Amino acid sequence: MDIQEGKQKFIESWGKMASDWGINRTMAQVHALLLIAPEPLTADEVMEGLSISRGNSNMNLRALMDWGLVHKQLKAGERKEYFYAEKDMWTVVRQIIVHRKKKELEPMLKVLDEVANIEPNCPESESFCNVVKDIRMLSSKANQTLDTLIKADSNWFANIFLRMVR
Amino acid sequence: MDIQEGKQKFIESWGKMASDWGINRTMAQVHALLLIAPEPLTADEVMEGLSISRGNSNMNLRALMDWGLVHKQLKAGERKEYFYAEKDMWTVVRQIIVHRKKKELEPMLKVLDEVANIEPNCPESESFCNVVKDIRMLSSKANQTLDTLIKADSNWFANIFLRMVR
DNA sequence: CATAGTTTTCAATTTTTTTTGAAAACAAAA
DNA sequence: TTTTGTTTTCAAAAAAAATTGAAAACTATG
């Protein structure tokens, strides 16, 4: 396999995986393109590299900056903006966790807290309360665990992995 | 808040969360409905309960059975099929991990293995190989960790959580 | 084997999400 | 201030995903 084919495959596969996870496929492809680029790219190069429109390129670059996965770089004497991806994979994982936890886990926890006040006084409400209680416990544990992960450094992270597979 | 409102909120929120995670919203709502039901429901009751069509109800019930999150129950002397959700949350989490790992992580790992053979011999290919190497390592560690999780029992799982938040 | 209750299928439709591209906004240089 | 290169916006179009519902398939029972 040559380098061009490899890049192609990687970008495609990264996009596929992301879309399975509810992330815009193009956003992930822009991310992949920047991840494997040796130098920062301009919005035009991203457009070109993925055959997408200027608007699409711009929007996804901004989304990636929102997620903290891509940064802007200005070159002295140039008007164009350059973009490069965060390449430390532990930081990438951390940023994704931070973002998704805030947007997805926390709202769910809030709803669970709200509905947890219901009185269990019939088979219907008893069944409901049991399930809510269990999910609430699990989610809040997950939430705490993710907080620990976010604060942890990459060595600690590697350690947990090692401990778990041993 | 009364029980009806609570159920409504829970079903909605479970569906929202799932759709953020790339899972069909209705499938998650069917799951939520069955989770909080004190007794198994028929396809008709699911249709009714969520105001969806027969086809939709049927398809999502089958998908949930595919994921191992819902089971069929036949009642003696009745022709209708009844469905109930797996209520042990550790089993639910495990089933979701099994399913998504197979459908999403493993294909990505396969691609990473394929592209890992490329020779790093120019800035372009060097950058590519570095990123691929890192992601490959992380993914394969994640894969191993998930295997351990899948095999683990719920006590062990709770333990890991405890260890991590301590 | 015929009937009736039930589940499954899938082409057509609807809804949701993503993408486009041209115009507007912006900002550096002339 | 005007020109020019660049980024941003967003209504409209396109693409993708989900849903419907009626017909077909299935299956227990008389």
Side-chain angles (χ1 to χ4, degrees):
Chain A
M1 188 184 309
D2 82 332
I3 176 72
Q4 289 315 320
E5 192 187 341
K7 282 184 159 196
Q8 204 49 47
K9 255 204 167 132
F10 175 73
I11 291 171
E12 212 171 278
S13 173
W14 198 245
K16 172 62 172 58
M17 176 148 181
S19 109
D20 285 342
W21 283 81
I23 292 162
N24 181 304
R25 205 184 81 234
T26 304
M27 169 171 158
Q29 289 183 334
V30 173
H31 185 217
L33 184 72
L34 291 177
L35 269 178
I36 62 185
E39 296 294 334
L41 303 181
T42 63
D44 277 8
E45 288 170 320
V46 171
M47 272 174 75
E48 173 103 353
L50 300 174
S51 315
I52 59 176
S53 71
R54 177 173 309 288
N56 202 1
S57 163
N58 180 273
M59 281 183 168
N60 283 307
L61 282 168
R62 275 188 306 112
L64 284 163
M65 288 194 290
D66 246 35
W67 283 57
L69 297 175
V70 162
H71 307 285
K72 206 181 264 194
Q73 186 174 67
L74 297 171
K75 294 198 180 179
E78 286 204 52
R79 280 167 77 172
K80 274 194 210 302
E81 296 172 332
Y82 287 78
F83 301 91
Y84 63 97
E86 169 60 55
K87 297 208 179 181
D88 178 71
M89 283 303 145
W90 165 235
T91 303
V92 170
V93 169
R94 193 208 319 260
Q95 289 298 97
I96 293 172
I97 292 175
V98 166
H99 201 269
R100 301 205 70 159
K101 176 171 127 64
K102 187 157 64 200
K103 290 273 171 68
E104 290 143 32
L105 182 54
E106 287 170 12
M108 181 80 222
L109 268 174
K110 192 162 153 286
V111 170
L112 290 170
D113 283 347
E114 281 168 31
V115 299
N117 296 317
I118 285 167
E119 286 285 313
N121 53 19
C122 59
E124 201 188 16
S125 54
E126 248 177 61
S127 176
F128 178 74
C129 290
N130 280 337
V131 169
V132 168
K133 199 188 80 212
D134 284 358
I135 295 180
R136 194 163 167 242
M137 209 149 80
L138 201 62
S139 310
S140 112
K141 277 258 190 296
N143 199 37
Q144 284 177 272
T145 304
L146 292 177
D147 279 337
T148 311
L149 265 183
I150 290 165
K151 281 189 230 113
D153 67 14
S154 84
N155 282 340
W156 187 91
F157 186 59
N159 265 349
I160 281 288
F161 263 175
L162 279 181
R163 269 206 276 164
M164 290 188 86
V165 300
R166 202 185 303 136
Chain B
M1 185 183 311
D2 82 333
I3 175 74
Q4 288 315 318
E5 193 186 341
K7 280 183 161 196
Q8 204 50 46
K9 254 202 168 133
F10 175 73
I11 290 172
E12 214 171 276
S13 173
W14 198 244
K16 172 64 171 58
M17 175 148 183
S19 109
D20 286 341
W21 283 81
I23 292 162
N24 180 305
R25 206 183 80 234
T26 304
M27 170 170 156
Q29 289 183 333
V30 172
H31 186 217
L33 184 72
L34 291 177
L35 269 178
I36 61 186
E39 295 293 335
L41 304 180
T42 62
D44 278 7
E45 288 169 319
V46 170
M47 273 174 75
E48 172 104 352
L50 300 173
S51 315
I52 59 176
S53 71
R54 178 174 308 287
N56 203 2
S57 164
N58 180 271
M59 280 183 167
N60 282 306
L61 282 168
R62 273 188 305 113
L64 285 164
M65 288 194 290
D66 246 34
W67 283 58
L69 297 174
V70 162
H71 306 285
K72 208 181 263 195
Q73 188 175 65
L74 297 171
K75 294 198 182 181
E78 286 202 53
R79 278 169 77 173
K80 270 192 211 308
E81 296 173 333
Y82 287 79
F83 301 91
Y84 64 96
E86 171 59 57
K87 298 209 179 180
D88 178 71
M89 283 304 146
W90 164 235
T91 302
V92 170
V93 169
R94 192 211 316 261
Q95 289 298 95
I96 292 172
I97 292 175
V98 166
H99 200 270
R100 300 204 72 159
K101 178 172 127 62
K102 186 158 61 198
K103 290 273 171 68
E104 290 143 33
L105 181 54
E106 287 170 12
M108 180 81 221
L109 268 175
K110 191 162 154 286
V111 170
L112 289 170
D113 282 348
E114 281 169 31
V115 298
N117 296 319
I118 285 166
E119 286 285 313
N121 53 19
C122 60
E124 201 189 19
S125 54
E126 249 176 60
S127 177
F128 178 75
C129 289
N130 280 337
V131 169
V132 168
K133 198 188 79 212
D134 284 359
I135 296 180
R136 193 162 170 243
M137 209 149 79
L138 200 62
S139 310
S140 110
K141 278 256 189 297
N143 199 36
Q144 285 177 272
T145 304
L146 291 177
D147 279 338
T148 311
L149 265 183
I150 289 165
K151 281 190 229 111
D153 66 15
S154 85
N155 282 338
W156 187 92
F157 185 57
N159 267 350
I160 281 288
F161 264 174
L162 279 180
R163 269 205 277 165
M164 291 188 84
V165 299
R166 201 186 304 136

